[in-house]
Amino acid sequence: MPLLPTPAFSSPYYLFNGHLQTILPSMARRAPVISYTRERLTTPDHDFLDLDWSKVGSDTLVVLSHGLEGDSHRPYIKGMVRALNSAGWDALAWNFRSCSGEPNHLLRSYHMGAIEDLDLVVRHALATKPYARIFLVGFSMGGNLTLNYLAQGNGQLPEQVQRAAVFSVPCHLKGSCLQLAKPQNRVYMKRFLKSLHLKLSEKAQRFELDLTQYDRIKTFEQFDERYTAPLHGFKSADDYYESCSSVQRLHQIEIPTLMVNALNDPFLSPECFPVEQARQNPHFYLEMPATGGHVGFAENFAKGHYYSERRAVEFLSQAF
């Protein structure tokens, strides 16, 4: 029954609710200095993915997947890269299509179920060096993507993929979208829609894309119905959510995988806390700390100490 007890973690007293625990680490954290080496990987459909490597000469590689509208330079990614390098492991932070600072070539972009891109990154990494083991770390959307990838089962994964840790995962997409549509989460919704609009505006200069009345879109459900679903081969937003929600596939995961979702995460609905799945799958471990916010988990904000980084290293180290 890998439903883990509440960890010995609490947020600093001055980050006294889920919103502060989400916003301060995102907006005010000083990102660690990481000397990335960038590599551009061409995809089979003639697009590209930008990969940022931070190597220490290890036979173990950790592949990191960022969140919605994130990238490899976000403080939570760089903080995790530093922690992984300090543990003695190479790190590869890949950027989803259109997230590396340069528009991707195609009309399509990235989405919650694009496991073919993650698979391409993993297999490319193994082709560049015969790593003995590969771990996966994902945040938010990148966590959902990681879980969908792992749910293919060992028969479809490279045998080197041995463990994973994911944080703040909206594993039930419909529920998370409804949660973010609530009035108290309007500030997050506006920020996401603004960022997505900038990328769509660039694409509209190269492709047929109707952006009229975009300002009427107020929720992810409206955005996904109009753009994400049709641009990526889904019948509707509901079809997209049903197809790409990892919660329905957690029973298929066959390698040790840790999910840490804070109970006060403003992005997550009750369906994003898969207690029964953790009880039924001996490979799937669930932690639900009372605090942490969304991709926050600051233990000591001033000193840059984060539970997510400490816990990921602890869990992944169990492979040795």
Side-chain angles (χ1 to χ4, degrees), residues 36-301:
Y36 284 135
T37 299
R38 174 156 290 192
E39 177 186 11
R40 177 155 292 186
L41 175 61
T42 301
T43 62
D45 58 357
H46 307 293
D47 208 347
F48 68 90
L49 299 170
D50 283 332
L51 318 182
D52 287 322
W53 294 83
S54 182
K55 298 180 181 180
V56 294
S58 176
D59 66 350
T60 297
L61 173 69
V62 187
V63 178
L64 296 89
S65 300
H66 60 75
L68 182 73
E69 287 301 277
D71 56 61
S72 61
H73 289 275
R74 291 299 170 94
Y76 63 87
I77 291 287
K78 285 190 167 183
M80 186 65 76
V81 168
R82 179 181 59 183
L84 298 169
N85 286 164
S86 296
W89 306 327
D90 288 359
L92 170 54
W94 69 290
N95 297 276
F96 303 161
R97 301 186 193 217
S98 80
C99 290
S100 65
E102 181 177 334
N104 66 310
H105 295 330
L106 305 179
L107 178 57
R108 67 153 291 182
S109 184
Y110 64 91
H111 63 81
M112 290 275 191
I115 61 174
E116 69 278 3
D117 283 353
L118 178 53
D119 184 63
L120 180 67
V121 170
V122 170
R123 294 183 185 277
H124 171 73
L126 286 170
T128 63
K129 179 178 177 177
Y131 283 103
R133 63 195 64 81
I134 288 183
F135 302 142
L136 305 179
V137 170
F139 295 90
S140 193
M141 175 184 176
N144 186 75
L145 185 69
T146 297
L147 294 173
N148 278 328
Y149 176 65
L150 295 176
Q152 299 177 98
N154 285 347
Q156 300 297 317
L157 301 176
E159 62 181 8
Q160 294 88 346
V161 177
Q162 296 183 9
R163 274 184 177 255
V166 294
F167 299 87
S168 304
V169 185
C171 56
H172 189 282
L173 300 186
K174 178 81 171 190
S176 185
C177 285
L178 293 175
Q179 181 71 17
L180 277 163
K182 293 181 177 180
Q184 66 266 31
N185 291 322
R186 191 173 294 129
V187 62
Y188 308 114
M189 199 70 255
K190 285 184 176 180
R191 187 179 180 193
F192 281 130
L193 290 175
K194 181 179 179 180
S195 178
L196 290 165
H197 183 248
L198 290 174
K199 290 182 178 179
L200 288 177
S201 297
E202 188 283 327
K203 287 184 181 292
Q205 299 177 27
R206 296 183 287 136
F207 305 99
E208 283 192 25
L209 192 62
D210 182 10
L211 294 182
T212 57
Q213 299 184 332
Y214 183 91
D215 60 335
R216 294 191 177 184
I217 294 177
K218 304 299 181 184
T219 67
F220 273 134
E221 195 165 10
Q222 293 169 344
F223 179 89
D224 292 332
E225 183 72 26
R226 184 170 177 183
Y227 296 109
T228 308
L231 294 182
H232 298 96
F234 300 100
K235 297 177 183 177
S236 63
D238 281 341
D239 179 44
Y240 169 50
Y241 301 150
E242 178 67 24
S243 299
C244 299
S245 290
S246 60
V247 69
Q248 63 190 341
R249 299 187 180 89
L250 297 177
H251 65 283
Q252 298 171 215
I253 292 177
E254 298 176 359
I255 68 167
T257 299
L258 171 68
M259 176 194 284
V260 181
N261 278 4
L263 291 173
N264 70 346
D265 187 327
F267 289 28
L268 303 184
S269 66
E271 298 92 342
C272 295
F273 297 89
V275 172
E276 288 305 314
Q277 291 89 331
R279 287 175 173 158
Q280 295 171 14
N281 184 347
H283 306 292
F284 176 65
Y285 298 78
L286 176 63
E287 284 184 6
M288 299 180 292
T291 66
H294 189 76
V295 193
F297 301 107
E299 290 185 296
N300 188 317
F301 180 73

